[in-house]
Amino acid sequence: MQIYADNAATTKMSEAAIKAMTDCAKSYWGNPSSLYTIGQKAKELLEEARADIARIINAEPREILFTSGGSEADNQALLSAAMLGKKQGKTHIISSAFEHHAILHTLKRLEQNGFSVTLLPVHENGVVDPEELKEAIDDNTCLVTVMTANNEIGTIQPIKELGAICRERGVLFHTDAVQAVGHIPLDVKAQNIDMLSASAHKFHGPKGVGFLYAKKGVRLSNLIEGGAQERGKRAGTENLPGILSMVAALKEAVAGMDKHAEHMKKVRDHLIEGLSQIPHSALNGEAERRLAGNVNFSFEGIEGESLLILLDQRGISASSGSACTSGALDPSHVLLAIGRIHDVAHGSLRLSIGEDITMEEADYIIENVREVVEYLRSFSPVWRDLMTGKKEFIL
Ligand SMILES: *Cc1c(COP(=O)(O)O)cnc(C)c1O
């Protein structure tokens, strides 16, 4: 059996997305900035795509900026908000402890440039508390950025409430919604969102393309200087095959969202139930406010890396921590943020299932994880210490 359970790292392109990409490459290859017919046709499709995206998140077309993906959208949002803040003499930014590195590393850079950063705790359940945001905001705060759903543990944040607090205090609110767009309903107006980042390859679109929503009146900086594309904010000939492919994928994802979520939740809960039977294991992040596709477990006394390799040999593609940090031996900052100690965080497994997962596949996963965990524990020195009482069990 071959099971791809790493959809939080990337997804397979849908047939509709592949078709939109190749159709564009074959038939609409003109430069949208050119005045002759094939250029103007490309321009028309580009603007239609912008309008489609805007409609899906309840924004205006001119509020959508195409980017090279989620990381770029995050960088653009944070750097623009920081620039705007500086002009008003405000240099304090609030975020959360378990953001994606595209956010955390950009914040580091801003700190080196005179900004101060407060990271809100995410608690054992993996959710930011709006009351703590209220306390952290002050007159010097220019931006709050909290992700919509976490990429490692799948917990969904109270975006609407956080946005409302920001609005009341006149502070810009950005959310990295890369794991959420195409998976849970989003409405930038109803949820009080000023800026939102998305990436196509997390919802069955192509890699290297995404978008940033920035509410009218939020002045973006010129990230790339050059021509007048994207209203001068991001110069360079537009990636039209990628953009049209992204829109095709997003339309499909949104149309199937409810049905897919219902099915995936059933399979997810079956996986959680099955994996909970393994002794000294625990689910990371709360079960309720959680993406339908995310299961993240810690198993005491093992190494996540070895678990992944052995699961791969059995046809299961999964992840420990996030794809960006695997390869490095630092434990995941997300698991540390929810209070897991290093040893426990190391023995973690993320399964991010897709909508085509079956119950039989879930059973195969449970069975194999159980066997592999048992096998790894059989020669783990840490497990021996736990069993002989030299070390105390935490889970
Ligand atoms: C994948 C991901 C990103 C980065 O998106 P890219 O398109 O790969 O640059 C940012 N934030 C989150 C939450 C993600 O899951």
Side-chain angles (χ1 to χ4, degrees):
M1 217 181 265
Q2 284 294 329
I3 306 168
Y4 182 73
D6 204 14
N7 286 277
T10 197
T11 58
K12 184 178 171 184
M13 280 175 75
S14 70
E15 288 302 323
I18 294 170
K19 183 172 185 304
M21 181 172 264
T22 52
D23 283 355
C24 178
K26 282 181 195 159
S27 311
Y28 313 116
W29 45 268
N31 189 323
S33 300
S34 303
L35 291 178
Y36 39 74
T37 313
I38 53 168
Q40 287 308 295
K41 178 65 189 171
K43 174 84 179 162
E44 200 179 294
L45 291 170
L46 177 69
E47 293 316 318
E48 255 174 48
R50 200 184 305 278
D52 284 340
I53 300 261
R55 199 175 315 114
I56 288 170
I57 61 165
N58 195 21
E60 309 297 326
R62 54 169 301 178
E63 296 174 322
I64 304 299
L65 178 91
F66 291 117
T67 68
S68 68
S71 300
E72 184 189 320
D74 284 344
N75 274 256
Q76 168 67 292
L78 269 53
L79 297 175
S80 295
M83 199 74 97
L84 291 169
K86 205 161 204 171
K87 274 190 196 144
Q88 299 177 298
K90 297 181 176 184
T91 55
H92 177 229
I93 300 174
I94 300 172
S95 187
S96 84
F98 73 167
E99 296 293 311
H100 190 274
H101 285 128
I103 297 287
L104 292 178
H105 290 172
T106 306
L107 291 175
K108 268 263 140 34
R109 189 162 135 194
L110 287 169
E111 270 184 322
Q112 288 158 1
N113 285 285
F115 286 81
S116 62
V117 174
T118 303
L119 297 182
L120 298 172
V122 291
H123 306 282
E124 206 187 317
N125 62 356
V127 182
V128 166
D129 180 353
E131 288 304 316
E132 288 178 317
L133 173 61
K134 267 187 203 164
E135 280 165 33
I137 289 193
D138 60 31
D139 293 340
N140 190 32
T141 309
C142 60
L143 169 72
V144 173
T145 174
V146 175
M147 67 202 316
T148 307
N150 183 268
N151 46 305
E152 290 188 39
I153 59 174
T155 48
I156 298 169
Q157 306 306 306
I159 292 306
K160 186 178 172 181
E161 289 77 4
L162 299 175
I165 294 165
C166 293
R167 203 135 291 178
E168 203 187 300
R169 298 294 301 264
V171 173
L172 279 181
F173 179 55
H174 167 259
T175 185
D176 174 339
V178 173
Q179 290 291 330
V181 172
H183 299 278
I184 59 174
L186 285 169
D187 179 324
V188 292
K189 291 201 176 82
Q191 291 177 288
N192 309 308
I193 299 167
D194 296 320
M195 290 191 274
L196 174 148
S197 306
S199 176
H201 76 100
K202 303 291 175 74
F203 52 78
H204 301 290
K207 291 158 188 61
V209 61
F211 65 88
L212 173 67
Y213 152 78
K215 191 176 167 344
K216 203 164 47 200
V218 177
R219 197 177 162 74
L220 297 176
S221 306
N222 295 5
L223 195 66
I224 299 177
E225 300 290 354
Q229 295 94 349
E230 300 298 290
R231 294 190 287 128
K233 305 301 171 203
R234 184 182 193 275
T237 305
E238 300 86 346
N239 172 12
L240 193 60
I243 291 167
L244 298 184
S245 180
M246 165 167 71
V247 172
L250 186 54
K251 281 181 174 170
E252 209 176 27
V254 169
M257 189 185 284
D258 293 349
K259 200 179 90 209
H260 293 152
E262 194 188 320
H263 168 68
M264 283 157 73
K265 267 184 193 153
K266 272 191 203 133
V267 180
R268 177 197 70 188
D269 293 342
H270 183 69
L271 279 166
I272 292 175
E273 170 67 25
L275 295 175
S276 304
Q277 308 297 317
I278 298 174
H280 305 288
S281 69
L283 179 70
N284 290 314
E286 71 166 58
E288 285 74 36
R289 284 172 287 182
R290 189 182 193 94
L291 291 174
N294 181 289
V295 175
N296 190 315
F297 262 81
S298 290
F299 305 101
E300 223 167 343
I302 64 158
E303 269 292 334
E305 311 288 314
S306 333
L307 179 61
L308 290 192
I309 292 162
L310 293 174
L311 287 177
D312 184 36
Q313 289 172 1
R314 294 162 181 239
I316 301 166
S317 314
S319 159
S320 77
S322 72
C324 321
T325 51
S326 70
L329 271 177
D330 290 338
S332 140
H333 70 286
V334 174
L335 298 177
L336 296 180
I338 62 166
R340 295 285 183 226
I341 64 156
H342 283 230
D343 275 6
V344 173
H346 266 306
S348 300
L349 174 71
R350 176 185 72 184
L351 298 161
S352 44
I353 55 177
E355 53 276 354
D356 54 354
I357 184 103
T358 65
M359 277 295 183
E360 290 68 39
E361 288 173 331
D363 284 331
Y364 179 84
I365 292 173
I366 294 167
E367 186 57 25
N368 281 280
V369 172
R370 201 180 49 73
E371 282 175 19
V372 172
V373 168
E374 223 166 82
Y375 169 71
L376 289 172
R377 281 174 173 172
S378 72
F379 55 83
S380 150
V382 178
W383 183 252
R384 196 185 49 224
D385 286 353
L386 290 164
M387 292 306 278
T388 56
K390 246 195 195 164
K391 256 189 168 171
E392 270 186 49
F393 280 109
I394 290 163
L395 305 181

